[in-house]
Amino acid sequence: MLGKFEEGRLARLQRYGNLGPLARLTFDTLMPQGRSNDPRNQERFRRALAACIAFAEAPKGWLVLTGPTGCGKTHLAAAIANKCLARGIPAFFAVVPDLLDHLRATFSPESEVDYDELFEQVRSAPVLILDDLGAQSSTPWAQEKLFQIINHRYNARFPTVIATNLSVDDLDERLRTRLTDTGLSEIVVAEAPATTFQLTGSLELELLSNMTFDNFDWKGLHLTAEQRDSLKAAYRNARAFAESPQGWLVLLGPNGCGKTHLAAAVANYQQRAGRPVFFAVVPDLLDHFRSAFSPESKVTYDETFDRVKTTPLLILDDLGTQSSTPWAQEKLYQLLNYRYNARLPTLITTNKALHEIEDRLSSRIGDLRLSIVIGITAPDYRGDRRPSEKTPAGRSQTKWAKKAKA
């Protein structure tokens, strides 16, 4: 039970905190796994919750919460404010568009609050929580006020929490450079953005998300020594690439030999380490590029293509199965040529031999100064069976193995 003095002090703090009806949002009233049914997003939310609790216990530095609308960022931000206030730490909570409206309103002759007073209260608050950064109108005045607030707190190293629906990369450059200062800020993703081109690409699909190095069996009951050795070499190189992505790794082999499993295992390894990765099945990726030209598309083609080509780690599965239209070939060439020249880590799987791939692509994929090329001769990994040389499956495996060596 709080005494009258403590109750009065908390009431004064809550008025200062500007939370209003959000005073009900605490750490005790949220779902610890968040609102998504996706296990990956649930894990992201748990990490975000832990970071928010740690910040509320000892406000220091900056905490930047990102994620789509409705994922629980506002609840987390308000819970930090309420926790601080309950511990006697003055914390000011503001929704960015509302804050800018209040600042504008102070210029009115009828305003009961002086502009300088409100502006100073916000920029010098012991703890400031800004919700919905990026939702404000992007007028020069609004951008300037925001920059002044954030820049002041950046220079003073005042504890600050910022929640935004935008990717940090999409923010104004002056804000982005301050929010991404690793010496001050921790950026936490509460939930991956629900867009076609989220950083994980096709990896959110359940089957791919469960493919790891631990459940990949390179030994196989019915493999020849040569097949087992090729699969083992692919496994070891993929694992080494996952631990330290450098250059290009190219996995060649027939359908079902385990290429996709290893590629997905690399992506899952990177994602669980909190590193950005984009995984795409090549025909699907080209379809997504085409859809970006639609008037209904929420992202432009240029934005989509640029995100894919510059992603820190790109994994392209099933190269060679796409339709070979001039447009498709040109997009693939532009994508791979950019990453080749920039020496960006890339993993490619294909059921084609190098000489069956278009020259412009194969000359880059097969450049051994950049690429490690592994040919897998093992049969269908999804069904542990021994194909006979007399069966169509056996003939196709033998035929592929000869082509891969060509």
Side-chain angles (χ1 to χ4, degrees):
M1 294 281 297
L2 292 174
K4 289 186 177 180
F5 176 79
E6 288 83 3
E7 286 181 348
R9 185 169 184 270
L10 179 58
R12 288 193 297 274
L13 281 170
Q14 286 176 334
R15 285 195 296 273
Y16 170 87
N18 194 44
L19 281 157
L22 298 184
R24 74 186 191 283
L25 300 180
T26 67
F27 291 122
D28 293 332
T29 59
L30 57 69
M31 295 182 289
Q33 77 280 8
R35 302 169 185 173
S36 173
N37 294 323
D38 184 346
R40 294 172 182 277
N41 281 329
Q42 291 175 357
E43 180 58 31
R44 291 185 184 100
F45 193 86
R46 280 190 283 267
R47 289 197 296 265
L49 173 59
C52 290
I53 291 173
F55 184 95
E57 291 290 342
K60 183 181 179 182
W62 287 19
L63 182 64
V64 181
L65 299 171
T66 70
T69 300
C71 73
K73 299 187 306 301
T74 295
H75 195 143
L76 288 169
I80 291 174
N82 284 310
K83 183 70 172 180
C84 288
L85 295 173
R87 297 179 63 237
I89 302 171
F92 188 86
F93 181 98
V95 179
V96 171
D98 294 344
L99 172 62
L100 293 169
D101 283 347
H102 291 321
L103 287 172
R104 290 188 190 95
T106 60
F107 293 111
S108 168
E110 289 78 31
S111 176
E112 297 178 0
V113 181
D114 180 70
Y115 168 82
D116 291 334
E117 178 186 349
L118 177 58
F119 189 75
E120 184 62 26
Q121 180 184 8
V122 174
R123 75 171 192 161
S124 298
V127 176
L128 177 65
I129 295 99
L130 293 176
D131 190 32
D132 256 1
L133 177 67
Q136 73 282 354
S137 59
S138 57
T139 65
W141 182 88
Q143 293 297 94
E144 191 59 31
K145 295 303 111 180
L146 268 178
F147 174 72
Q148 288 173 351
I149 292 170
I150 288 176
N151 189 57
H152 177 80
R153 299 187 68 82
Y154 175 80
N155 291 330
R157 290 319 200 236
F158 288 155
T160 305
V161 177
I162 295 171
T164 177
N165 299 337
L166 301 178
S167 164
V168 176
D169 293 336
D170 293 332
L171 294 172
D172 176 80
E173 184 179 1
R174 294 186 301 172
L175 302 183
R176 184 174 67 247
T177 56
R178 287 152 180 79
L179 267 61
T180 57
D181 182 345
T182 55
L184 178 67
S185 288
E186 179 184 4
I187 299 175
V188 178
V189 179
E191 183 177 312
T195 63
T196 303
F197 280 90
Q198 56 190 308
L199 283 178
T200 50
S202 304
L203 201 61
E204 295 297 331
L205 299 175
E206 182 179 359
L207 181 62
L208 294 173
S209 68
N210 292 325
M211 291 180 175
T212 67
F213 291 113
D214 290 338
N215 58 29
F216 182 85
D217 179 17
W218 57 265
K219 297 178 182 179
L221 295 177
H222 304 309
L223 298 178
T224 66
E226 179 190 358
Q227 292 168 344
R228 187 175 293 109
D229 287 346
S230 72
L231 206 56
K232 182 179 180 181
Y235 170 85
R236 286 184 171 177
N237 278 278
R239 184 133 204 171
F241 186 83
E243 292 170 357
S244 180
Q246 296 180 25
W248 288 19
L249 177 63
V250 182
L251 301 178
L252 310 171
N255 293 330
C257 71
K259 306 184 303 298
T260 295
H261 190 136
L262 289 173
V266 171
N268 287 318
Y269 183 98
Q270 286 288 305
Q271 191 186 42
R272 286 163 189 167
R275 300 169 191 146
V277 59
F278 189 93
F279 180 104
V281 180
V282 171
D284 294 343
L285 177 63
L286 291 169
D287 283 346
H288 291 320
F289 284 159
R290 291 186 188 95
S291 68
F293 289 106
S294 167
E296 289 76 33
S297 177
K298 295 181 180 180
V299 290
T300 65
Y301 167 79
D302 289 339
E303 179 186 1
T304 301
F305 189 78
D306 189 64
R307 285 184 180 180
V308 176
K309 79 175 185 179
T310 60
T311 190
L313 174 59
L314 176 63
I315 298 178
L316 295 176
D317 190 36
D318 260 358
L319 177 70
T321 58
Q322 72 281 353
S323 59
S324 57
T325 63
W327 183 88
Q329 293 298 95
E330 189 61 29
K331 295 304 111 183
L332 275 175
Y333 170 71
Q334 290 173 348
L335 177 61
L336 290 177
N337 187 57
Y338 179 89
R339 297 187 68 82
Y340 176 81
N341 290 329
R343 292 309 199 246
L344 291 174
T346 306
L347 192 157
I348 297 169
T349 78
T350 177
N351 63 0
K352 305 287 186 183
L354 285 179
H355 70 269
E356 296 178 311
I357 299 172
E358 186 197 10
D359 289 345
R360 293 186 300 174
L361 303 184
S362 63
S363 65
R364 287 157 179 77
I365 293 170
D367 184 347
L368 299 183
R369 296 170 299 178
L370 176 67
S371 297
I372 296 175
V373 181
I374 305 292
I376 303 173
T377 58
D380 196 330
Y381 178 82
R382 290 166 294 199
D384 195 4
R385 56 186 183 270
R386 190 202 318 263
S388 164
E389 284 289 326
K390 296 180 180 180
T391 67
R395 287 196 297 273
S396 66
Q397 299 294 338
T398 304
K399 179 181 178 182
W400 191 92
K402 290 177 180 177
K403 289 198 300 182
K405 294 176 181 179

